[in-house]
Amino acid sequence: MPNTGSSRELAAAVADQFEKITEAPDVDNLETICAPGLVNHALAKWRTPGLDGTREYLTAPLARRFDEVWRERRVITDGEYVVHHGIRAGHWPGGDFLGVHVPSGDFAREVVFMYRVSDGKVAERWAIRDDLGFLRQLGVSLT
């Protein structure tokens, strides 16, 4: 994808659509926005890679427990790369998270989602979340 304003706008729109599909989650429409060989770097190593693993994650009970929205968001584009960076806030209903019992409560955490868009589809995705900050806000001590 050439580094033009229109290609950056298309890449940003594709990344936004991916977020909308995953927040719903509308797993039946992943193929419309993702390349067949999607590499989702955010998936746990034990998950099936690609579209199948992304679909598995989005339909897992833990994925649907977060009621999380953007409080502030910056969108940065550079050629075929799109970065969403900001603060997502929400409510955790309580329960296990990464093998730790976490009580219910409200939280806000910094996140970065990065996408590589190729031929109008998400080809790669990365996610970096402040999970430690999330746990601390909800009173979890990891000592």
Side-chain angles (χ1 to χ4, degrees):
M1 182 179 295
N3 193 0
T4 67
S6 61
S7 66
R8 285 193 304 268
E9 290 167 9
L10 172 63
V14 169
D16 282 343
Q17 188 61 35
F18 181 89
E19 272 196 16
K20 287 177 184 156
I21 286 174
T22 59
E23 286 174 356
D26 184 9
V27 295
D28 294 334
N29 285 313
L30 277 174
E31 287 86 0
T32 65
I33 202 73
C34 295
L38 169 70
V39 177
N40 189 344
H41 301 280
L43 291 175
K45 299 296 179 202
W46 51 266
R47 280 215 189 273
T48 306
L51 279 170
D52 290 339
T54 301
R55 189 177 295 106
E56 272 175 26
Y57 170 75
L58 291 171
T59 56
L62 176 63
R64 294 182 298 179
R65 293 183 74 178
F66 278 94
D67 180 14
E68 199 174 8
V69 296
W70 286 104
R71 182 182 289 167
E72 54 185 79
R73 182 177 83 147
R74 290 167 218 61
V75 178
I76 304 148
T77 59
D78 184 11
E80 61 186 4
Y81 291 93
V82 179
V83 177
H84 292 171
H85 168 258
I87 305 296
R88 287 184 60 91
H91 180 79
W92 173 254
D96 286 345
F97 179 77
L98 300 176
V100 176
H101 179 74
V102 181
S104 67
D106 295 331
F107 67 91
R109 63 179 170 174
E110 187 172 14
V111 297
V112 177
F113 300 120
M114 186 167 90
Y115 306 88
R116 185 175 66 81
V117 177
S118 179
D119 295 325
K121 297 198 176 214
V122 174
E124 290 184 83
R125 178 183 184 264
W126 295 261
I128 302 166
R129 302 177 316 262
D130 183 6
D131 290 339
L132 182 57
F134 161 76
L135 294 171
R136 285 182 173 158
Q137 288 175 59
L138 296 174
V140 175
S141 174
L142 298 175
T143 57

